[in-house]
Amino acid sequence: MYVADQTWPELGDYVAEESVAVVPLGSTEQHGPHLPLATDHLIAEGLAREAADRTGFLCTPTVNVGVSPHHRQFHGTMWVDGPQFRDYVESLTRNLAYHGIDRVVYVNAHGGNVQHLREVGRRLRDDGTLYAIEWMWDESIPDLVEEAFEQNGPHGGPKETAMIQHLAPELVREEELESARDGGVRDIEAAAHLRKNGARTFYDAVENSENGVFGDQTGATPEIGERLFEAAAEQLVELLEWLDGRRLDDLLAPAHVDPQPGSRRE
């Protein structure tokens, strides 16, 4: 159920019986010469909508701009800073809580959002507002992703290429797949020289990859993308159903261990 397509009485009927919502989040940032800037938020929205359709749970509009300053040197990349992103997502989620939602899954497709979504989830759980967790699509199916590609990559690589070939093939510049591979970092281990004595010496993607991408994009196909999408959607559905079946009290922050502070004071 997509919230923006419903009327307010219909949503009233929903929250009278259900309390789960999915919030898709991505980014608008460079993904090489072959993929659109919309890559991450297209993947997040596609998976969130699919899982909502399969389960009947509520899906909100997508947060299209995320924490992406590490891609800022590439044309068109948009970003918000971490504190503003956290405050925005927290405010949006508190809005859901006001309307009766008490369990939220952040359906995320951008690595730069992860730590911030975890922080927002902790804030909301610790003050007893609701239970919110971050879910990253490729982390739900790591074995399948690893099996599918000989040279994978964390950004603009074959896994994201295959997903967009499946979801929005008209947006993939197929003629640029080889240049994406050859102008980027095909083997992620080739960037290991940017780590010194256990420290990461880089901050921005352009310091690692001239065209901002990693992996061998020529290994991607729409068929592989469909397999990845279906497997990830199934994982998300199972997560939502698990979440729906838990007592809220069991999801919120546990009490302090015994003895309770001050329990022996006179």
Side-chain angles (χ1 to χ4, degrees):
M1 176 186 290
Y2 182 56
V3 63
D5 288 343
Q6 311 305 310
T7 66
W8 72 260
E10 291 166 343
L11 291 167
D13 291 340
Y14 177 84
V15 295
E17 297 184 4
E18 301 287 355
S19 60
V20 176
V22 292
V23 179
L25 306 99
S27 68
T28 299
E29 64 181 22
Q30 72 84 17
H31 276 78
H34 62 304
L35 290 179
L37 274 68
T39 291
D40 287 345
H41 69 250
L42 287 174
I43 294 172
E45 182 168 335
L47 287 166
R49 291 279 202 114
E50 182 68 21
D53 286 346
R54 293 186 189 185
T55 60
F57 292 133
L58 196 66
C59 180
T60 73
T62 304
V63 178
N64 289 338
V65 177
V67 184
S68 304
H70 50 295
H71 293 294
R72 69 188 186 278
Q73 290 89 349
F74 295 94
H75 298 296
T77 292
M78 303 182 70
W79 72 92
V80 292
D81 292 329
Q84 287 71 35
F85 177 80
R86 292 193 297 272
D87 287 347
Y88 177 84
V89 175
E90 180 178 345
S91 180
L92 182 155
T93 310
R94 289 187 185 279
N95 174 284
L96 293 173
Y98 175 82
H99 287 298
I101 298 298
D102 61 23
R103 296 138 221 256
V104 170
V105 174
Y106 297 127
V107 177
N108 181 38
H110 173 51
N113 294 340
V114 172
Q115 64 179 343
H116 305 287
L117 294 173
R118 290 284 298 169
E119 173 61 24
V120 170
R122 173 175 285 281
R123 290 182 192 177
L124 294 166
R125 187 185 75 147
D126 286 356
D127 70 13
T129 298
L130 52 66
Y131 181 78
I133 49 173
E134 182 267 346
W135 178 84
M136 187 80 171
W137 75 270
D138 56 321
E139 293 180 3
S140 75
I141 50 169
D143 293 341
L144 182 56
V145 171
E146 187 67 25
E147 170 194 313
F149 307 110
E150 183 178 346
Q151 291 289 347
N152 201 4
H155 184 76
K159 65 187 177 187
E160 291 183 323
T161 303
M163 286 286 273
I164 299 301
Q165 286 174 325
H166 170 59
L167 289 169
E170 71 281 3
L171 297 181
V172 180
R173 280 63 168 178
E174 296 285 345
E175 71 280 5
E176 296 288 351
L177 294 183
E178 290 187 7
S179 68
R181 176 197 64 196
D182 298 340
V185 178
R186 179 177 182 178
D187 184 353
I188 190 63
E189 297 301 322
H193 66 284
L194 293 173
R195 293 175 183 264
K196 301 292 185 183
N197 302 94
R200 297 183 184 184
T201 60
F202 58 90
Y203 284 94
D204 297 329
V206 73
E207 295 176 86
N208 291 351
S209 170
E210 186 174 328
N211 69 1
V213 298
F214 303 84
D216 185 356
Q217 295 76 13
T218 64
T221 68
E223 291 75 22
I224 294 175
E226 183 177 11
R227 285 176 55 209
L228 298 179
F229 182 86
E230 288 298 321
E234 183 177 338
Q235 290 293 313
L236 180 54
V237 165
E238 290 182 6
L239 174 62
L240 291 168
E241 291 175 342
W242 170 85
L243 193 59
D244 185 50
R246 301 294 301 276
R247 294 176 61 251
L248 181 61
D249 287 347
D250 294 334
L251 296 169
L252 296 179
H256 195 291
V257 297
D258 288 331
Q260 294 294 304
S263 60
R264 296 176 182 172
R265 296 177 192 154
E266 293 183 359

